[in-house]
């Protein structure tokens, strides 16, 4: 049995990972082909984003058939081969389960629209408040109303995301049993991990107009959410102690996460929360251009770290995923300090209390692509907001500037394997353009360079396995109000870790308040850390991990 506190998870977005048949789309055989690369990184689990049959309106998060592989990704035999080959290398698979909604092409919804009452009750249909007025004023997370009118029924169905993604009715016990059946099917295939997409939205509260916002307070962390997760646990993954689970928690509260990921709550192993990735938003508004708030970033991360520990609950810790911009472009430096800032950002996350997640290409320091034309974008959210921003009065260039920072496509460009055409991702035309810097940022170069970002990530993954303090220690913020330094201490059974990060390119002398001669350096992104007594001289984006045995 693997202890998930000592593990690291590597996220793969198959569509952009590696293409073996030249159709421009990554596939399951491509993941199998690159297992030795992943093994070299040292991770324990591969989280695969959805590869189920889907019309791909939302890149697979609109599931048409939960039991079959979309032909564009391969076959069930390809999946079984991947599972078998991963297991040979000590790597387990984590699948992405999208249970808040299905595709409108899912047979359940097709039958619902055909008038089958059983399946109509699988979804949320409501009468309008008046002719042409939806049941509530809730907004879709992708823009526009969260309700779609069906003339034949004179009713609306709820879609918190795209119009092609109708929400499931979890208050219907049959729905809950159906999704548990899906989980058990993949357990029987040997899957040992599950990530549940926006799972804290499955229990809706009152259906009424929101006079304070977009409706999210009526469906986030809803009234029966903990009951439904405990039930899903009991009916499926809870019967195998080897399985780890993580819930993606949209706009959640920490108090709910104490239960979602509590050691004894029998819900999930850990949670993704996103508050720390809204520090370059304006409130909850993503589609703006504002500098990131470093103080807020630290406050949020430390608040969650300290309080989740106090309640014996577990975090997933991360910067990147398929919905987030590349972190080195977001909080680091794409220029002269690209390597140093990428390593520093990795250190911050990997030494925290929680299970770290690495998103494909993050270990290479991949950057945002810098797209300049709407034809280069593929993401439905980005395409919608390009129009919405201009409707709000912004000119086209401003809309492009915002997309270049916040679009989900920033993280979805193909993995840069080599300096050959299309970064070695495909022999065909990639489904989305490759980032232009693949000649200098690619896996072939970095796996051969001992000082590379890739090898730095390898070291961080190995340190978590070697030092119990990283996996099990408490967390104590150090100088939390400092405007430039991100530092903290971890303690466990006489082991102490002291992690220091200069978050900016400005050099600084900092009194750390500790006799650094008592510590050894486990890892640093500069050849030799500089200090005299308690004063550290920190160079641009410098990062140092100190250790001592008390």
């Amino acid at each position: 049995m693997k202890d998930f506190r000592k593990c690291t998870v590597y996220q793969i977005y198959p569509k952009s990972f590696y293409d073996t048949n030249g159709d421009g789309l990554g596939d399951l055989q491509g993941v199998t082909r690159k297992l030795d690369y992943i093994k070299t990184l040292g991770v324990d689990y591969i989280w695969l984003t959805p590869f189920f049959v889907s019309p791909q309106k939302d890149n697979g998060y609109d599931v048409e058939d939960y039991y079959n592989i979309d032909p564009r990704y391969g076959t069930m035999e390809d999946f079984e081969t991947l599972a078998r080959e991963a297991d040979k290398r000590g790597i387990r698979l984590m699948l992405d389960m999208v249970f808040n909604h299905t595709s409108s092409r899912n047979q359940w919804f097709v039958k619902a629209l055909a008038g089958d009452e059983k399946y109509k009750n699988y979804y949320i249909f409501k009468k309008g408040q008046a002719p042409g007025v939806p049941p509530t004023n809730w907004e879709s997370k992708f823009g526009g109303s969260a309700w779609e009118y069906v003339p034949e029924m004179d009713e609306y169905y709820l879609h918190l995301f795209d119009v092609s993604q109708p929400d499931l009715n979890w208050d219907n016990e049959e729905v809950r049993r159906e999704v548990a059946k899906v989980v058990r099917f993949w357990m029987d295939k040997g899957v040992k991990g599950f990530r549940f997409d926006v799972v804290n939205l499955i229990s809706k509260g009152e259906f009424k107009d929101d006079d304070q916002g977009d409706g999210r307070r009526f469906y986030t962390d809803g009234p029966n959410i903990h009951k439904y997760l405990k039930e899903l646990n009991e009916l499926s993954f809870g019967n195998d102690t080897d399985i780890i689970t993580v819930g993606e928690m949209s706009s959640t509260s920490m108090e709910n996460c104490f239960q979602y990921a509590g050691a004894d709550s029998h819900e999930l192993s850990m949670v993704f929360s996103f508050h720390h990735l809204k520090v370059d938003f304006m409130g909850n508004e993503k589609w703006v251009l504002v500098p990131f708030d470093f103080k807020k970033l630290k406050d949020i991360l430390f608040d969650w770290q300290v309080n989740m520990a106090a309640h014996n609950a577990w975090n997933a810790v991360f910067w990147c995923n398929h919905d987030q911009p590349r972190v080195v472009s977001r909080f680091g430096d794409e220029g002269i300090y690209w390597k140093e800032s990428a390593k520093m950002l990795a250190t911050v996350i990997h030494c925290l209390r929680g299970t770290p997640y690495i998103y494909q290409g993050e270990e290479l320091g991949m950057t945002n692509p810098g797209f300049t034309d709407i034809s280069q974008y593929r993401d439905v959210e980005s395409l919608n907001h390009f129009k919405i921003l201009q409707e709000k009065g912004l000119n086209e260039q401003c809309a492009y500037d915002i997309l270049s920072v916040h679009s989900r496509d920033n993280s979805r460009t193909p993995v840069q394997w080599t300096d050959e055409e299309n970064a070695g991702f495909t022999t065909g035309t990639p489904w989305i353009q490759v980032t232009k810097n693949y000649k200098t940022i690619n896996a072939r170069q970095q796996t051969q360079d001992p000082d590379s970002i890739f090898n730095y990530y390898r070291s961080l993954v190995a340190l978590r396995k070697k030092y119990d303090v990283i996996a099990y220690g408490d967390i104590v913020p150090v100088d939390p109000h400092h405007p430039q330094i991100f530092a903290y201490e971890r303690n466990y059974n006489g082991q102490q870790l002291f992690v220091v990060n200069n978050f900016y390119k400005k050099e600084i002398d900092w009194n750390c308040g500790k006799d650094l001669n008592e510590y050894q350096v486990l890892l640093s992104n500069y050849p030799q850390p500089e200090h005299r007594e308690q004063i550290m001289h920190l160079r641009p984006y410098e990062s140092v991990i100190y250790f001592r045995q008390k």
Side-chain angles (χ1 to χ4, degrees), residues 411-427:
S411 59
R412 297 177 179 183
T413 57
V415 172
Q416 293 161 211
W417 293 107
T418 70
D419 61 1
E420 299 163 320
E421 188 177 5
N422 295 323
F425 163 71
T426 181
T427 56

Side-chain angles (χ1 to χ4, degrees), residues 115-291:
D116 187 323
E117 280 299 314
K118 172 183 173 177
Y119 290 101
K120 188 180 174 191
N121 288 329
Y122 273 37
Y123 296 90
I124 299 170
F125 284 88
K126 299 281 182 188
K127 289 287 185 187
Q129 298 183 55
V133 182
T136 71
N137 65 350
W138 298 0
E139 294 175 19
S140 160
K141 290 178 180 288
F142 288 172
S145 173
W147 297 95
E148 179 70 6
Y149 184 59
V150 183
E152 296 80 6
M153 295 178 174
D154 190 29
E155 287 185 312
Y156 293 78
Y157 67 83
L158 180 69
H159 62 92
L160 294 181
F161 294 87
D162 188 62
V163 66
S164 67
Q165 294 168 293
D167 279 49
L168 284 166
N169 176 20
W170 274 71
D171 292 335
N172 180 346
E173 185 180 357
E174 284 189 80
V175 168
R176 303 199 300 274
R177 293 194 175 276
E178 286 276 12
V179 298
K181 182 180 167 188
V182 172
V183 175
R184 291 195 301 272
F185 173 85
W186 291 103
M187 286 171 61
D188 289 344
K189 294 282 183 186
V191 173
K192 292 295 185 182
F194 294 97
R195 181 260 192 191
F196 296 103
D197 185 62
V198 294
V199 73
N200 66 319
L201 308 185
I202 60 176
S203 172
K204 275 64 173 180
E206 296 180 89
F207 289 94
K208 61 182 187 181
D209 281 345
D210 187 356
D211 57 3
Q212 299 175 32
D214 55 12
R216 71 181 64 199
R217 64 194 179 99
F218 292 116
Y219 59 73
T220 303
D221 301 322
N224 293 310
I225 182 64
H226 297 291
K227 171 188 168 185
Y228 294 163
L229 284 176
K230 287 179 198 295
E231 183 182 278
L232 182 60
N233 180 312
E234 186 180 333
L235 292 174
S236 58
F237 57 82
N239 297 303
D240 184 345
T241 55
D242 270 358
I243 289 178
I244 68 169
T245 53
V246 57
E248 181 195 27
M249 301 300 171
S250 173
S251 302
T252 190
S253 73
M254 198 185 308
E255 291 71 26
N256 275 293
C257 288
F258 298 157
Q259 296 180 68
Y260 294 140
D264 302 312
S265 65
H266 304 290
E267 295 186 24
L268 302 169
S269 308
M270 65 192 90
V271 290
F272 285 119
S273 63
F274 295 89
H275 299 73
H276 68 295
L277 295 176
K278 295 181 179 179
V279 296
D280 53 359
F281 289 19
M282 191 175 289
N284 272 322
E285 176 52 45
K286 163 179 171 178
W287 300 98
V288 293
L289 280 183
V290 294

